[in-house]
Amino acid sequence: MKPSVRLVAERAKVSHATVSRVLNNVDVRIAPETRLRVERIASEMGYQPNRNARALATGRTQSVALWATNLRSVYYGEYIHFIHEETLRHDYDLMVSGAKVPQYGVVGKDVTLDTSKLMSWPVDGIIAVDLPRATVPGMKGSLLGGIPFINVGGYVLESADYVQVDFTEPAIEAVQHLATVGCRRIAYLVPDWFEWFIPSDDPRLSGYKSVMAALGQEPEFIVSPNERREGVASVLAAYIEQHGCPDGIFCYNDEMAIGAFLELRKLGRRIPEDVALVGCDGIRESEYLHPPLTTIMPPLEEMCSVAWSFLMKRIQDPTLPLQAARLKARLEVRGSSQR
């Protein structure tokens, strides 16, 4: 017979209501020894809670949604991994949804995110990753359609709970590092939604421009059709053919840096002797290049842990004041830029 709340209650010699409150983590006073006995017996019997019944009893589904614009990237896969670890530790389920952006951040035009599907899901909270500057329908403070909401990443909506990674100092340090190792022409490899970065004051862009100004060098921008590695090759080859090869390249992310790494090798350029290369994001693949890629490392595990803590507090009390944290990334110098 499939274990039920009634059978657990009979064996534990407590009421049906007590078992339900213990197993659904209802915030009521129950003697610690009773709680432990119910949990032990439920485990011994192999009891599996009915999610629908739990939702009716507690008003919660024990599930959260992770919402991101880019689900192909290795970098965002790390966010999914660390948030999933939090859900496992706290007995939650995780749903993942891609955010549809009709038109990506064109200057002077309104951009609205489609929240209709996300808000129809029966989740207790939403964690959004690197949402672009946009209108988010249904957003009121730290609630999206009444659902507790927190956003994390390099780009955040500061009107809602957030955990932001600060790339400012390491971006400056990265470009200064390239100059220190002798680079005379330092280019910035950036995706084609370049216009969006200027008004958004992207810290990587502003860091690059500030160091170039201090060095008395003209900025060079190599604009790729997207932020993926496969988009880099033809653009980089064409740029080098037309303008010659920079001896230092700072890349918007590690995906693009890996694409540049492979294309430079195809073109017969040595790394770092001919071209010193720096990425950003700290994805694990960056360690396995030869030489390994110098990169900016955001504290993703810590970010996800703090975000989870903020979200749980918001679920418990939707009226809390704004919760915010800024965590610093760090530059990790490796062989791709060491001369």
Side-chain angles (χ1 to χ4, degrees), residues 29-325:
R29 292 188 63 181
I30 296 175
E33 59 272 18
T34 300
R35 185 178 294 275
L36 288 172
R37 186 169 76 253
V38 169
E39 290 173 345
R40 175 180 56 80
I41 290 172
S43 177
E44 290 173 351
M45 296 179 68
Y47 172 78
Q48 296 294 323
N50 183 302
R51 292 283 182 180
N52 291 331
R54 173 182 284 182
L56 288 172
T58 65
R60 295 179 185 158
T61 63
Q62 290 294 113
S63 60
V64 297
L66 186 142
W67 193 37
T69 56
N70 188 342
L71 299 179
R72 292 187 60 184
S73 165
V74 175
Y75 176 65
Y76 292 106
E78 291 292 294
Y79 273 104
I80 295 172
H81 167 73
F82 287 124
I83 292 297
H84 183 240
E85 290 292 300
E86 293 293 339
T87 64
L88 291 177
R89 276 193 289 271
H90 296 90
D91 192 28
Y92 269 72
D93 287 329
L94 178 65
M95 301 180 183
V96 178
S97 179
K100 291 178 63 179
V101 183
Q103 193 171 12
Y104 212 124
V106 178
V107 174
K109 295 185 179 181
D110 291 332
V111 178
T112 300
L113 297 182
D114 182 358
T115 61
S116 57
K117 179 180 178 181
L118 182 71
M119 290 169 59
S120 69
W121 287 9
V123 295
D124 298 333
I126 297 167
I127 301 173
V129 181
D130 270 342
L131 291 183
R133 299 290 193 276
T135 300
V136 184
M139 178 70 73
K140 291 185 178 179
S142 296
L143 300 176
L144 178 57
I147 303 171
F149 174 96
I150 184 166
N151 61 142
V152 301
Y155 310 109
V156 294
L157 306 174
E158 295 184 0
S159 58
D161 291 344
Y162 68 86
V163 181
Q164 186 174 30
V165 57
D166 186 356
F167 287 114
T168 304
E169 290 182 13
I172 292 172
E173 187 181 351
V175 184
Q176 289 175 335
H177 165 68
L178 289 172
T180 300
V181 299
C183 296
R184 301 301 180 190
R185 284 182 58 196
I186 304 171
Y188 183 30
L189 179 60
V190 66
D192 68 347
W193 12 284
F194 183 63
E195 286 184 335
W196 178 67
F197 289 102
I198 298 173
S200 70
D201 194 28
D202 175 76
R204 281 161 282 196
L205 174 60
S206 60
Y208 169 74
K209 290 170 69 176
S210 68
V211 176
M212 295 298 282
L215 294 171
Q217 296 183 26
E218 283 297 317
E220 291 189 48
F221 300 108
I222 305 172
V223 184
S224 175
N226 52 53
E227 59 178 310
R228 299 191 295 271
R229 65 187 73 177
E230 58 267 27
V232 170
S234 60
V235 167
L236 182 57
Y239 184 89
I240 291 173
E241 183 177 357
Q242 183 175 357
H243 302 284
C245 189
D247 58 355
I249 301 178
F250 177 45
C251 303
Y252 170 76
N253 65 16
D254 286 348
E255 289 273 350
M256 298 181 75
I258 290 171
F261 192 107
L262 297 176
E263 184 60 22
L264 288 167
R265 283 283 177 80
K266 288 180 183 178
L267 296 173
R269 299 310 200 275
R270 298 171 301 165
I271 300 171
E273 293 86 354
D274 298 326
V275 184
L277 199 62
V278 176
C280 182
D281 287 349
I283 64 176
R284 285 176 292 173
E285 290 173 281
S286 64
E287 297 182 68
Y288 295 92
L289 297 175
H290 182 70
L293 180 67
T294 294
T295 186
I296 295 172
M297 308 278 291
L300 293 187
E301 185 170 5
E302 182 183 3
M303 289 174 65
C304 291
S305 176
V306 174
W308 183 268
S309 173
F310 283 179
L311 186 64
M312 292 301 102
K313 291 176 183 176
R314 179 65 60 192
I315 290 172
Q316 292 294 329
D317 184 0
T319 66
L320 283 175
L322 181 74
Q323 304 174 100

